[in-house]
Amino acid sequence: MKIIIHGGFFSESDQSHEVKTAKQNSLKEIAQKSFVYLQSHSAFDTAAYAVSLLEDDPLYNAGIGSQIQSDGIIRMSAAIMNGDTQRLSGVINIEEVKNPVFVAKGLIGEDDRVLGGLGAKQYATNHGFENFSTEIPQRRREYEAKLENGGKGTVGCVAIDKEGKLAVATSTGGKGFEIPGRISDSATVAGNYANNFCAVSCTGVGEDIVSNATAAKIVTRVTDGMSLEEAFEKTFEELKMIDGFAGAIAIDHNGNLFHKDSYPTMVFASFDGTSFEVFS
């Protein structure tokens, strides 16, 4: 059993040492809580749980603390994928729910498993998700300043459970000040993908991640026999060709963990029940 999570990127130029330390402590705590949860739950359930904790922390650009789009409205996207069943479900540009990842998870048993906009919100309302504003004052100030300090951030979790099953979940509050209706990578197989061999969650610039098909490429290459590290190296070399801004976390079916970013520093933490690795 292992878990790895990410919380987007950290910029030395626009975030303080205090924020960096807060993110390190937060990620370590969430990784540990999620590992404890994994003891009695599947990788699929744990991935959603971990991402919900990240959505609930205003340090990150997902759920509470999501970025505001150019028309002043927050729209969020999230997805989850069960590596064992190879089912992905997600929501795109959903408004006014606390935890988009739980709405995405709820869709896993539906025939129509990826919903957008008003349809996603209506589904959430019909299934008992209450209206909830995820806006915090800091994000409004950034919006009013045209996001001078806006980050390229998404949150995600990859987990492998005691049965060796893999799952991934990813959630984002967008890039900030984008054109309304813009779709990120998070609810696509480019940013969130898993099967029985590997699971990957990405963060960064969604357009770059989609153009490179990053998560799907890594998983496919591991499935075809590459090591996890080799799959990452080849995929990120291809990302360089478009000067892509991305980071990714992954676990393979042997329990190997790997992470990489094209423009440091992606914030992440992993825990295997004994030792932590936290970004520095």
Side-chain angles (χ1 to χ4, degrees), residues 75 96 117 127-128 195 197 216 219 221:
R75 298 178 180 89
E96 295 189 322
H127 287 79
N195 64 11
F197 291 89
V219 172
R221 285 168 170 157

Coordinates of all heavy atoms in Angstrom, one line a residue, residues 75 96 117 127-128 195 197 216 219 221:
R75 N -15.4 28.1 -11.7 CA -15.8 26.8 -12.3 C -14.7 25.8 -12.1 O -13.6 26.0 -12.4 CB -16.1 27.0 -13.8 CG -17.2 28.0 -14.1 CD -17.4 28.1 -15.6 NE -18.5 29.1 -15.9 CZ -18.3 30.4 -16.0 NH1 -17.1 30.9 -15.9 NH2 -19.3 31.2 -16.3
E96 N -20.3 25.9 -7.6 CA -20.9 25.9 -6.3 C -21.2 24.5 -5.7 O -22.3 24.2 -5.3 CB -22.2 26.7 -6.4 CG -22.0 28.2 -6.7 CD -23.2 29.0 -6.6 OE1 -24.3 28.5 -6.9 OE2 -23.1 30.2 -6.1
G117 N -20.7 21.7 -16.9 CA -21.5 22.9 -16.7 C -22.8 22.7 -15.9 O -22.8 22.0 -14.9
H127 N -28.5 14.7 -6.5 CA -27.9 13.7 -5.7 C -27.4 14.2 -4.3 O -26.6 13.6 -3.7 CB -26.7 13.0 -6.4 CG -27.2 12.1 -7.5 ND1 -27.6 12.6 -8.8 CD2 -27.4 10.8 -7.6 CE1 -28.0 11.6 -9.5 NE2 -27.9 10.5 -8.9
G128 N -28.0 15.3 -3.9 CA -27.8 15.7 -2.5 C -26.6 16.6 -2.2 O -26.4 16.9 -1.0
N195 N -4.8 2.2 -15.3 CA -5.3 0.8 -15.6 C -4.6 -0.1 -14.6 O -4.2 0.3 -13.5 CB -4.9 0.5 -17.0 CG -3.4 0.4 -17.4 OD1 -2.6 0.4 -16.4 ND2 -3.1 0.3 -18.6
F197 N -1.8 -1.5 -14.7 CA -0.4 -1.4 -14.7 C 0.2 -0.1 -14.1 O 1.3 -0.1 -13.6 CB 0.1 -1.5 -16.2 CG -0.1 -2.9 -16.8 CD1 -1.3 -3.2 -17.5 CD2 0.9 -3.9 -16.7 CE1 -1.5 -4.4 -18.0 CE2 0.7 -5.1 -17.3 CZ -0.5 -5.4 -17.9
A216 N -1.9 9.6 -20.3 CA -2.2 8.4 -21.1 C -1.0 7.8 -21.7 O -0.8 6.6 -21.8 CB -3.2 8.8 -22.2
V219 N 1.0 5.9 -18.9 CA 0.4 4.6 -18.6 C 0.5 3.6 -19.7 O 0.8 2.4 -19.5 CB -1.1 4.8 -18.2 CG1 -1.9 3.5 -18.0 CG2 -1.2 5.7 -16.9
R221 N 2.8 3.4 -22.0 CA 4.2 2.9 -22.1 C 4.6 1.9 -21.0 O 5.3 0.9 -21.3 CB 5.1 4.1 -22.1 CG 5.1 4.8 -23.4 CD 5.7 6.2 -23.5 NE 5.8 6.6 -24.9 CZ 5.9 7.9 -25.2 NH1 5.9 8.9 -24.3 NH2 5.9 8.2 -26.5

